[in-house]
């Protein structure tokens, strides 16, 4: 079996993993949540209003402060929504799995033993642009 076929097998296994399944359910619940979608729409409108105001030659600082307060409030409402909380938790769990799988692949490509290498063994290369996070 070649490497590409093995990668496809990993992809299939990921899609069978409970973390992936949880993410799909959380994503669907978020997409179906009318209140959450309204909040996201409101947030996006506030961003557009802030962008429009910031493009003006003479900005109204009071208006900018008000728009920024409204934007922060909309964001806070989004992040408190139960479906968004569940989505973020599911996404974090899936991201952690993908990060671990990727670390094993990368470290194996760097010569580490594939049977023993793992995320905990990753070391800082000094270039934060490609970093998966420090441990």
């Amino acid at each position: 079996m070649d490497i590409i076929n093995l990668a496809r097998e990993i992809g299939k296994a990921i899609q069978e993993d409970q973390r992936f399944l949880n993410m799909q359910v959380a994503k669907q619940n978020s997409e179906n949540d009318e209140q959450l979608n309204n909040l996201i729409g409101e947030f996006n409108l506030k961003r557009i209003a802030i962008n429009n105001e910031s493009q003006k030659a003479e900005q109204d600082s009071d208006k900018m402060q008000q728009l920024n307060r409204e934007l922060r409030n909309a964001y806070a409402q989004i992040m408190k929504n139960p479906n968004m909380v569940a989505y973020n938790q599911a996404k974090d769990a899936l991201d952690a799995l993908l990060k671990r799988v990727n670390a094993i692949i990368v470290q194996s490509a760097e010569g580490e033993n594939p049977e023993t290498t793992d995320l905990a063994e990753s070391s800082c290369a000094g270039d934060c642009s490609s970093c998966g996070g420090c441990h």
Side-chain angles (χ1 to χ4, degrees):
M1 186 174 278
D2 74 355
I3 293 174
I4 300 303
N5 286 335
L6 289 170
R8 293 185 195 288
E9 291 302 314
I10 291 171
K12 290 175 190 175
I14 287 170
Q15 290 181 347
E16 293 172 358
D17 188 273
Q18 192 61 49
R19 289 162 282 203
F20 174 84
L21 299 173
N22 291 345
M23 176 64 184
Q24 295 306 302
V25 169
K27 180 179 176 185
Q28 190 64 49
N29 288 343
S30 292
E31 289 172 355
N32 292 338
D33 186 329
E34 187 176 334
Q35 179 186 16
L36 177 58
N37 286 304
N38 289 339
L39 289 169
I40 292 170
E42 179 184 329
F43 176 83
N44 288 330
L45 289 174
K46 297 299 177 196
R47 277 192 354 199
I48 292 168
I50 288 170
N51 187 47
N52 289 340
E53 186 65 31
S54 69
Q55 300 292 324
K56 292 181 180 178
E58 292 185 31
Q59 294 178 14
D60 181 342
S61 64
D62 290 337
K63 186 173 183 178
M64 283 294 285
Q65 288 177 355
Q66 178 63 31
L67 289 170
N68 278 316
R69 277 193 297 274
E70 292 172 4
L71 182 77
R72 285 190 301 272
N73 183 49
Y75 181 79
Q77 295 287 330
I78 291 167
M79 299 313 288
K80 286 192 289 189
N81 178 285
N83 284 318
M84 181 56 76
V85 170
Y87 174 85
N88 284 330
Q89 289 171 344
K91 184 178 183 321
D92 288 347
L94 181 60
D95 286 349
L97 171 66
L98 297 176
K99 184 176 175 181
R100 186 172 181 197
V101 168
N102 188 57
I104 292 168
I105 292 169
V106 168
Q107 291 170 23
S108 296
E110 293 172 348
E112 296 293 325
N113 182 342
E115 295 294 326
T116 60
T117 192
D118 209 328
L119 189 60
E121 294 179 18
S122 67
S123 60
C124 181
D127 179 12
C128 294
S129 65
S130 64
C131 185
C134 293
H135 300 280

